[in-house]
Amino acid sequence: MKTLLLTTALTLTAAAGFAMDDDVVRMGTEGAYPPYNFLNDDGEVDGFERELGDELCARAELTCEWVTNEWDSIIPNLVSGNYDTIIAGMSITAERDEVIDFTQNYTQPDPSGYLAMSDGVDIMGGVIAAQTNTIQAAFVAASGATLVEFATPEETIAAVKSGEADAVLADSSFLAPIAEGDADLMMLEKVELIGGGVGMGIRESDGELKAKFDAAIASMKEDGSLNELIAKWEVGAQF
């Protein structure tokens, strides 16, 4: 899953908490990482997490308001009160858990794959692109390959096509449709199992909100509706 490494968020404290009596929850997402989240032709948040989030809010008897935020500041802006949750393909990690809380996971780990222009790429010694502040970037940096980082997923793909990078490492569910739609690109056979499942990020002060979403996620797992969404959007293994 797409994952953010903490930076300035470690020094921030929440400026505002979620008021349960308002019944309106601001759902923060990136809007640039299909099939998890993206903006449709009408400029509205769409994708697996939009459909999931709306259903979770309905079960929790809350009203969703959707907010988009750039990936590299998505945790700091949650902590500072610009929205109430992160629902953006974010893997649950111990490092993030030092700053924010997470609900239980709503997807299992998604294998990370390599997208390249040929199958002869030197994964361990070549130049590998990844989106900045992701665990894919951290994985590449520790692997011995040369890491080049970009702010957006689209830029990592462009780097491969321009020859600036030999391959890009990202969630397979994000890369596979791109490979299918571009004859110049291909998925390599090698995959990396990194990350630990995706959950909703919530401020540490908002325990009641976390409990409501935990209960809603659990109910979707129990009745099978979460697996149906996972299958519909092809975001990973079912529970």
Side-chain angles (χ1 to χ4, degrees):
M1 310 301 160
K2 185 175 176 183
T3 49
L4 176 66
L5 300 177
L6 301 181
T7 52
T8 56
L10 290 167
T11 64
L12 295 177
T13 57
F18 174 74
M20 290 302 297
D21 56 352
D22 290 342
D23 292 332
V24 175
V25 58
R26 297 164 297 166
M27 309 283 273
T29 195
E30 183 184 18
Y33 205 69
Y36 287 91
N37 57 83
F38 57 92
L39 299 182
N40 60 28
D41 291 341
D42 295 324
E44 297 178 347
V45 174
D46 206 337
F48 167 69
E49 285 167 324
R50 173 61 192 264
E51 191 168 351
L52 172 65
D54 285 346
E55 178 61 22
L56 292 175
C57 283
R59 293 186 182 218
E61 298 182 346
L62 298 166
T63 300
C64 287
E65 289 185 356
W66 288 88
V67 179
T68 57
N69 192 93
E70 292 182 357
W71 178 251
D72 60 0
S73 61
I74 202 165
I75 284 182
N77 281 328
L78 170 70
V79 174
S80 63
N82 291 344
Y83 33 82
D84 303 304
T85 76
I86 294 171
I87 180 166
M90 180 174 283
S91 291
I92 301 167
T93 68
E95 187 181 15
R96 289 197 188 93
D97 199 40
E98 295 178 2
V99 177
I100 61 175
D101 279 339
F102 284 95
T103 63
Q104 62 178 285
N105 64 343
Y106 55 78
T107 77
Q108 304 205 59
D110 187 7
S112 295
Y114 294 93
L115 182 75
M117 295 187 72
S118 74
D119 59 7
V121 172
D122 180 6
I123 295 300
M124 301 307 295
V127 179
I128 309 299
Q131 188 176 11
T132 190
N133 292 332
T134 64
I135 59 168
Q136 285 92 354
F139 180 89
V140 173
S143 73
T146 299
L147 169 67
V148 288
E149 295 181 85
F150 297 90
T152 67
E154 292 80 5
E155 289 174 293
T156 65
I157 307 301
V160 173
K161 297 196 71 170
S162 70
E164 187 176 354
D166 298 313
V168 54
L169 180 64
D171 293 343
S172 295
S173 59
F174 167 69
L175 294 177
I178 294 173
E180 292 172 3
D182 191 325
D184 293 329
L185 298 171
M186 61 182 298
M187 295 293 296
L188 304 185
E189 292 186 3
K190 185 174 178 58
V191 297
E192 310 292 356
L193 297 177
I194 54 179
V198 170
M200 295 177 69
I202 295 176
R203 284 184 293 271
E204 292 182 338
S205 59
D206 288 338
E208 189 176 354
L209 180 63
K210 176 181 178 296
K212 279 182 172 285
F213 279 122
D214 269 331
I217 293 169
S219 72
M220 290 189 69
K221 288 179 178 178
E222 290 168 3
D223 67 17
S225 57
L226 182 53
N227 279 342
E228 291 176 4
L229 282 183
I230 289 171
K232 173 182 176 179
W233 291 98
E234 298 181 347
V235 292
Q238 297 184 15
F239 288 95

